């Protein structure tokens, strides 16, 4: 199911317990993480920093506005609703991410490993399928939430794809919040139960008002 129409999209997001303005802020935080990296960081630092900021923002925004909690399942970072029935994770997608084209479904850019396949496939050892707040492990029993019926957890993916325009510094974030079918044998998500494409977020070139050695960012956000 593909839900591109804005009113339908917004109603579906609200039923899930989120919103486009909230997810837009998550993407903006991800871009801030991307741009905070310097030439002295490692070659994979930009995507890692963007992911960490996106994850933190998703948890903070969902907690603040909808009472969701941070969680880990099979060593995978999640954000889970108060009823522990719906969880969000965020992954990098390919160039088809966010496209309103049923003939060109997106896929995750990097294949999911055994835990990621188990999480999104609905199988696995019930003894391992436990949802933990991210404070300390091991946790006291009263703080531990066990998922005795693993298939009742709906895992949705905030899939994102970043495109930069050479010469202008302008960036476009394509994204969608979608619920996948289980990954294929190679670990790729190629089929989706439901897709909610989100508006393209356009971010202008970064302005560096601070002196050399400082890292303050003024990111210009433009309507799209």
């Amino acid at each position: 199911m593909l839900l591109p129409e804005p009113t339908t999209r917004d109603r579906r997001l609200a039923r899930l317990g989120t919103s486009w303005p909230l997810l837009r802020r998550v993407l903006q935080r991800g871009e801030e993480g991307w741009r905070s990296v310097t030439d002295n960081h490692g070659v994979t630092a930009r995507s890692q920093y963007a992911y960490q900021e996106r994850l933190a923002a998703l948890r903070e925004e969902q907690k603040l506005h909808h009472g969701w909690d941070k969680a880990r399942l099979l060593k995978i970072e999640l954000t889970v609703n108060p009823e522990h029935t719906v969880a969000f994770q965020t992954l990098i997608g390919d160039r088809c991410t966010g496209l309103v084209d049923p003939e060109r479904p997106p896929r995750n850019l990097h294949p999911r490993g055994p835990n990621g396949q188990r999480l999104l496939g609905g199988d696995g050892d019930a003894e391992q399928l436990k949802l933990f707040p991210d404070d300390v492990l091991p946790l006291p029993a009263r703080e531990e939430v066990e998922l005795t019926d693993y298939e009742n957890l709906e895992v949705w993916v905030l899939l994102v794809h970043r495109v930069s325009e050479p010469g202008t510094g302008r960036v476009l974030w394509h994204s969608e919040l979608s619920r996948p079918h289980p990954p294929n044998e190679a670990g790729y998500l190629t089929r989706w139960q439901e897709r909610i494409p989100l508006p393209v977020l356009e971010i202008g070139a970064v302005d560096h008002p601070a002196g050399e050695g400082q890292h303050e960012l003024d990111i210009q956000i433009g309507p799209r």
Side-chain angles (χ1 to χ4, degrees):
M1 181 185 301
L2 190 62
L3 302 177
E5 196 277 322
T7 301
T8 304
R9 175 200 69 211
D10 292 343
R11 288 175 179 170
R12 184 67 180 106
L13 291 174
R15 289 199 303 272
L16 281 172
T18 191
S19 67
W20 164 236
L22 184 157
L23 296 173
R24 181 178 60 225
R25 292 191 293 271
V26 171
L27 296 177
Q28 291 168 358
R29 277 275 297 276
E31 180 65 17
E32 290 174 10
W34 182 282
R35 297 191 185 196
S36 69
V37 172
T38 71
D39 292 339
N40 293 323
H41 289 80
V43 293
T44 62
R46 293 192 187 279
S47 61
Q48 291 175 355
Y49 275 51
Y51 166 77
Q52 295 295 343
E53 286 299 321
R54 197 166 63 248
L55 174 65
L58 182 62
R59 288 173 162 175
E60 292 164 8
E61 292 284 345
Q62 288 293 139
K63 178 68 173 180
L64 177 64
H65 296 285
H66 301 285
W68 290 40
D69 291 310
K70 58 185 178 182
R72 297 184 77 233
L73 180 60
L74 298 171
K75 300 182 180 180
I76 295 172
E77 304 292 344
L78 299 172
T79 307
V80 66
N81 69 353
E83 296 78 23
H84 303 110
T85 56
V86 177
F88 293 165
Q89 68 172 145
T90 181
L91 300 174
I92 299 174
D94 66 4
R95 67 182 63 184
C96 293
T97 299
L99 293 185
V100 185
D101 185 351
E103 301 301 321
R104 299 175 63 192
R107 62 191 293 177
N108 47 316
L109 190 61
H110 306 294
R112 306 301 291 149
N115 283 356
Q117 293 184 44
R118 186 178 299 119
L119 174 68
L120 296 173
D123 57 356
D125 184 355
E127 290 299 318
Q128 298 180 21
L129 302 176
K130 297 180 180 180
L131 195 61
F132 297 100
D134 251 356
D135 301 325
V136 181
L137 291 178
L139 294 168
R142 62 182 177 84
E143 296 184 12
E144 181 178 310
V145 179
E146 295 191 20
L147 297 181
T148 56
D149 189 351
Y150 176 62
E151 294 184 355
N152 275 352
L153 182 67
E154 289 188 9
V155 181
W156 290 70
V157 175
L158 176 60
L159 200 66
V160 304
H161 178 70
R162 184 183 189 272
V163 177
S164 60
E165 294 185 345
T168 68
R170 193 177 70 144
V171 168
L172 302 176
W173 279 94
H174 301 266
S175 63
E176 59 184 77
L177 185 65
S178 300
R179 187 183 179 197
H181 284 289
N184 62 21
E185 293 182 356
Y188 288 101
L189 303 170
T190 59
R191 299 183 304 116
W192 304 85
Q193 300 183 49
E194 189 172 347
R195 292 181 56 208
I196 309 176
L198 301 171
V200 178
L201 176 64
E202 179 180 330
I203 302 179
V206 65
D207 183 21
H208 292 279
E212 185 177 356
Q214 295 178 297
H215 302 286
E216 296 179 6
L217 297 180
D218 183 9
I219 296 178
Q220 303 300 314
I221 309 297
R224 180 72 174 179

